[in-house]
């Protein structure tokens, strides 16, 4: 593959984009982590590419780009989906949450406060290289929202859409079940 | 991916008109199959019509006593819907055996019916494939065919043109339940029994199903009887989750006073469409459910099956899966 700096870092104004792409770009408004942003995108831009390449929210990862790994998992209207298999232009009326939007501002210390699942992933050593982790955590948030998992086996089955190349699964399951057990109202 | 224009359909009629106006246009629902194929240049629509805003997103009761699943209800919302889990647990189980939680949140019921085969050569534009490029040949017959079909592969001229399988789990349960597909198109509305919706490949494997160009699936109707007491969806695959079926069986039994009153057996992963043999299912009626009668039906269902090398194991696997699924269905404690 021929990767030039231009294709790696296309910004809204990038002069290095091929002319055809610039010509067919159109305004697309996305609401990501509560913030509305108008982008200029070609219709074929996936939500994943829009987040990473045009909004520079690189927490969401691209593993396979074909729905087979879960690295790109984000929440759309609080439901977990694969950002690689939807077009940005299809998500104009939705609320998108990425890993960058999970932590909140701690008013007292004015530092950012991790989401309980982020905290649990650290506490349970639930990653090694960390590449799958943003997808795992967003997926786990979706899992808790859905409320169908009752046991560790349920967690394993309902988290099967997130592959971990490092095999950090025991820690991942432990992290998720710990949060599940501490929030009985959400399960 | 090739370039395309995009439009959001605001009404059903408008969507159909817009689709019929352009031969290279495609509807997009969840996008989980279409975008995947577009990234591989297997699908190359020049215009996408986003149907997600059409009012086809509800599950409603219908006069027959059955249930109507809107074409745009997601697979997840279908599988977890209270009416589905209680009255059609076989369907719920089959859907949840497929894909991943993320994909099921995106995939729609209409799109699931329309998903294309996972044959590796179909996905690889560098290889001959009669489904992708009619007349180019079939790479799977003499190639790697572990995931391919063992039944219904011969065309009328006794040649084999394609050994692809239909990959859906949901459709296997829908076949067993005798669901009906509702469509609308340039020539009006019609209904298609699920058993007749998907085709055998014959000598025209580029056609997966009988939907006509421009037709839109609006809903899937489930009959009143969902076999909630004795059912099983058994899916055998290379890993225990997030993998397509090598062989799957949707089994549903109506057992009264120790005798089978009605039996349904649909197979997935073995043919170009969910595979049923109502004539053999009928041999189970008035019989006591036991391994002997199940084994007889299993053997008969696979009579004439042909493997192509890597997939020959599926013949024995399917027989054993049928027997096991029927035993599971028999022994399932009645729903309370
Ligand atoms: C990694 C992966 C694993 C998977 N595993 C499984 C599995 O184990 N079991 C399984 O069953 N499935 C599996 N799937 C497939 C998944 O279920 C399908 O991709 C999904 O159901 C397609 O629905 P969609 O709404 O996303 O369709 P889209 O991708 O939007 O559309 C698919 C096709 O249907 C057409 N279409 C969509 N809606 C309509 C309509 N209402 N009327 C007419 N045409 C329409 C589109 O034009 C397109 O041609 C898997 C998919 C992936 C990516
Ligand atoms: S089995 Fe069908 S889809 Fe696969 S290569 Fe042969 S013709 Fe193509
Ligand atoms: S990048 Fe989307 S599932 Fe792998
Ligand atoms: S931590 Fe490395 S892939 Fe999961």
């Amino acid at each position: 593959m021929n990767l030039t700096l231009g294709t790696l870092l296309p910004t809204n104004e990038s002069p290095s984009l091929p002319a055809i792409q610039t010509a067919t770009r159109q305004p697309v408004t996305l609401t990501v982590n509560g913030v509305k942003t108008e982008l200029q995108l070609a219709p074929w831009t996936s939500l994943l590419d829009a987040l990473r390449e045009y909004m520079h929210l690189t927490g969401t990862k691209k593993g396979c780009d074909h729905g087979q790994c879960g690295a790109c998992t984000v929440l759309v209207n609080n439901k977990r989906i694969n950002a690689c298999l939807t077009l940005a232009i299809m998500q104009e009326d939705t609320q998108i949450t990425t890993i960058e939007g999970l932590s909140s501002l701690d008013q007292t210390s004015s530092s950012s406060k991790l989401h309980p699942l982020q905290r649990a992933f650290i506490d349970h050593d639930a990653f090694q290289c960390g590449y799958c982790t943003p997808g795992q955590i967003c997926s786990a948030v979706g899992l808790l929202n859905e409320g169908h998992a009752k046991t560790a086996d349920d967690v394993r089955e309902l988290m099967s859409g997130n592959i971990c190349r490092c095999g950090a699964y025991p820690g991942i399951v432990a992290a998720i079940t710990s949060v599940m057990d501490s929030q009985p109202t959400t399960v | 991916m090739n370039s395309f224009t995009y439009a959001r359909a605001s009404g059903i009629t408008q969507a159909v008109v817009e689709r019929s106006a352009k031969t290279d246009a495609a509807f997009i629902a969840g996008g989980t199959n279409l975008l995947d194929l577009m990234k591989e240049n297997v699908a190359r629509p020049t215009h996408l019509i986003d149907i997600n805003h059409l009012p086809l997103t509800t599950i409603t009761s219908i006069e027959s006593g059955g249930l109507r699943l809107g074409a745009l209800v997601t697979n997840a919302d279908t599988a977890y819907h209270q009416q589905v889990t209680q009255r059609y647990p076989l369907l719920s189980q089959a859907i949840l055996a497929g894909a991943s939680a993320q994909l099921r949140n995106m995939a729609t019921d209409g799109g699931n019916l329309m998903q294309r085969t996972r044959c590796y050569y179909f996905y690889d534009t560098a290889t001959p494939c009669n489904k992708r490029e009619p007349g180019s040949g079939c790479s799977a017959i003499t190639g790697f065919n572990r995931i391919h079909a063992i039944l219904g592969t011969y065309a009328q001229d006794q040649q084999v043109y394609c050994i692809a399988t239909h990959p859906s789990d949901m459709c296997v349960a829908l076949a067993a339940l005798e669901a009906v597909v509702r469509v609308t198109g340039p020539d009006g509305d019609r209904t298609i029994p699920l058993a007749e919706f998907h085709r055998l490949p014959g000598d025209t494997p580029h056609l997966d199903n009988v939907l006509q160009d421009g037709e839109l699936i609006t809903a899937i109707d489930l009959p009143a009887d969902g076999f909630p007491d004795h059912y099983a969806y058994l899916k055998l695959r290379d890993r225990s989750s997030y993998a397509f079926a090598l062989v799957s069986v949707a089994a549903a039994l109506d057992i009264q006073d120790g005798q089978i009153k009605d039996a349904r057996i649909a197979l997935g992963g073995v043919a170009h469409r969910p595979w049923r043999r109502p004539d053999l299912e009928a041999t189970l009626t008035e019989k006591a459910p036991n391994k002997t009668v199940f084994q007889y039906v299993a053997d008969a269902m696979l009579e004439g099956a042909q493997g192509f090398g890597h997939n020959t194991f599926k013949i024995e696997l399917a027989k054993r899966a049928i027997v096991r699924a029927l035993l599971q269905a028999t022994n399932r404690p009645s729903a309370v």
Side-chain angles (χ1 to χ4, degrees):
Chain A
M1 195 162 53
N2 181 15
L3 285 180
T4 64
L5 192 62
T7 55
L8 277 174
L9 298 169
T11 64
N12 284 343
E13 259 62 61
S14 171
S16 53
L17 277 173
I20 172 184
Q21 220 168 344
T22 327
T24 49
R25 285 198 274 164
Q26 58 196 81
V28 174
T29 304
L30 296 181
T31 308
V32 183
N33 302 327
V35 181
K36 238 181 174 162
T37 311
E38 190 184 299
L39 304 162
Q40 295 290 327
L41 299 176
W44 49 86
T45 309
S46 68
L47 175 61
L48 176 59
D49 285 346
L51 293 169
R52 289 182 55 83
E53 312 291 339
Y54 293 86
M55 301 188 72
H56 306 294
L57 291 169
T58 53
T60 309
K61 300 293 185 250
K62 183 184 283 190
C64 64
D65 213 20
H66 288 281
Q68 299 176 1
C69 75
C72 65
T73 304
V74 299
L75 298 151
V76 167
N77 297 337
N78 294 320
K79 289 186 179 170
R80 46 180 167 160
I81 65 147
N82 303 99
C84 67
L85 286 186
T86 187
L87 299 171
I89 203 168
M90 292 165 68
Q91 302 299 340
E92 280 201 300
D93 314 319
T94 63
Q95 297 287 331
I96 300 156
T97 308
T98 68
I99 190 74
E100 288 91 345
L102 289 185
S103 60
S104 51
L105 196 68
D106 187 341
Q107 300 297 346
T108 46
S109 68
S110 65
S111 61
S112 89
K113 190 168 160 282
L114 293 180
H115 186 280
L117 275 162
Q118 290 175 307
R119 187 75 252 160
F121 266 61
I122 297 170
D123 294 344
H124 290 85
D125 214 2
F127 47 84
Q128 194 181 108
C129 75
Y131 196 80
C132 71
T133 313
Q136 299 277 4
I137 292 176
C138 285
S139 187
V141 173
L143 174 99
L144 295 188
N145 289 346
E146 288 155 15
H148 300 304
K150 311 283 180 221
T151 65
D153 270 347
D154 294 345
V155 171
R156 271 186 277 271
E157 169 59 32
L158 293 171
M159 285 294 293
S160 72
N162 293 82
I163 308 287
C164 175
R165 190 69 182 77
C166 299
Y169 298 111
I172 294 168
V173 175
I176 297 169
T177 47
S178 77
V179 176
M180 218 164 83
D181 295 345
S182 69
Q183 299 186 328
T185 44
T186 62
V187 291
Chain B
M1 218 188 292
N2 62 291
S3 56
F4 56 82
T5 50
Y6 166 92
R8 216 164 279 162
S10 51
I12 294 171
T13 318
Q14 181 244 330
V16 169
V17 169
E18 195 171 333
R19 172 69 185 77
S20 314
K22 291 186 182 153
T23 28
D24 289 336
F27 295 129
I28 185 162
T32 61
N33 191 230
L34 184 60
L35 290 175
D36 190 28
L37 290 167
M38 287 170 69
K39 288 179 187 200
E40 299 287 5
N41 276 320
V42 175
R44 288 184 296 268
T46 56
H47 183 61
L48 284 191
I49 302 160
D50 182 348
I51 56 175
N52 285 290
H53 296 260
L54 298 183
L56 303 170
T57 53
T58 54
I59 295 183
T60 47
S61 298
I62 46 178
E63 246 171 56
S64 66
L67 212 55
R68 178 163 297 165
L69 314 173
L72 291 166
V73 181
T74 64
N75 285 181
D77 286 348
T78 307
Y80 291 117
H81 192 274
Q82 204 194 3
Q83 290 277 323
V84 178
T85 55
Q86 287 180 0
R87 297 180 53 202
Y88 307 92
L90 174 66
L91 177 61
S92 178
Q93 211 177 65
I95 293 173
L96 294 177
S100 67
Q102 289 95 316
L103 287 161
R104 294 191 296 264
N105 279 341
M106 309 171 79
T108 63
D109 291 349
N112 194 307
L113 256 58
M114 296 295 291
Q115 66 173 303
R116 308 210 66 190
T117 186
R118 309 301 289 201
C119 169
Y120 345 104
Y121 303 102
F122 174 70
Y123 265 81
D124 179 358
T125 54
T127 58
C129 167
N130 284 329
K131 189 182 274 301
R132 182 171 26 77
E133 217 179 306
S136 63
C138 170
S139 300
I141 293 170
T142 52
F144 287 104
N145 47 41
R146 178 171 171 77
I147 63 170
H148 290 78
I150 51 173
L151 286 163
T153 50
Y154 282 83
Q156 288 206 321
D157 62 6
Q158 295 306 310
Q159 302 284 318
V160 179
Y161 294 88
C162 172
I163 56 173
T165 58
H166 191 262
S168 167
D169 291 295
M170 185 181 97
C171 292
V172 182
L174 291 178
L177 293 170
E178 298 190 344
V180 173
V181 185
R182 301 178 68 85
V183 310
T184 185
D187 300 327
D189 300 348
R190 61 181 182 129
T191 55
I192 309 164
L194 192 105
E196 293 160 28
F197 186 80
H198 298 101
R199 309 171 60 249
L200 289 179
D203 58 1
T204 49
H206 60 288
L207 302 172
D208 293 349
N209 53 56
V210 299
L211 202 72
Q212 297 297 308
D213 211 38
E215 279 185 323
L216 175 80
I217 300 169
T218 55
I220 301 163
D221 283 356
L222 303 175
D225 188 3
F227 294 82
D229 295 329
H230 295 283
Y231 67 93
Y233 188 73
L234 178 64
K235 179 175 180 181
L236 303 170
R237 42 189 157 169
D238 280 330
R239 61 179 179 201
S240 59
S241 185
Y242 201 15
F244 286 93
L246 289 166
V247 169
S248 71
V249 185
L253 296 171
D254 180 5
I255 303 173
Q256 281 168 34
D257 306 323
Q259 279 205 338
I260 297 171
K261 294 290 163 211
D262 195 359
R264 307 274 177 82
I265 309 163
L267 307 182
V270 296
H272 202 251
R273 66 173 184 215
W275 191 261
R276 269 192 66 192
R277 284 288 301 274
D279 57 324
L280 295 172
E281 292 165 8
T283 64
L284 287 173
T285 51
E286 310 302 327
K287 302 257 167 45
N290 61 59
K291 202 173 169 182
T292 314
V293 292
F294 293 159
Q295 186 69 54
Y296 168 80
V297 170
D299 291 342
M301 274 189 93
L302 272 297
E303 225 168 77
Q306 196 205 323
F308 292 84
H310 300 280
N311 69 347
T312 310
F313 72 96
K314 282 190 180 182
I315 300 173
E316 181 59 27
L317 187 67
K319 290 182 192 172
R320 293 185 193 186
I322 294 167
V323 174
R324 196 202 290 178
L326 285 166
L327 287 172
Q328 282 178 358
T330 305
N331 298 327
R332 187 175 292 277
S334 287
V336 273

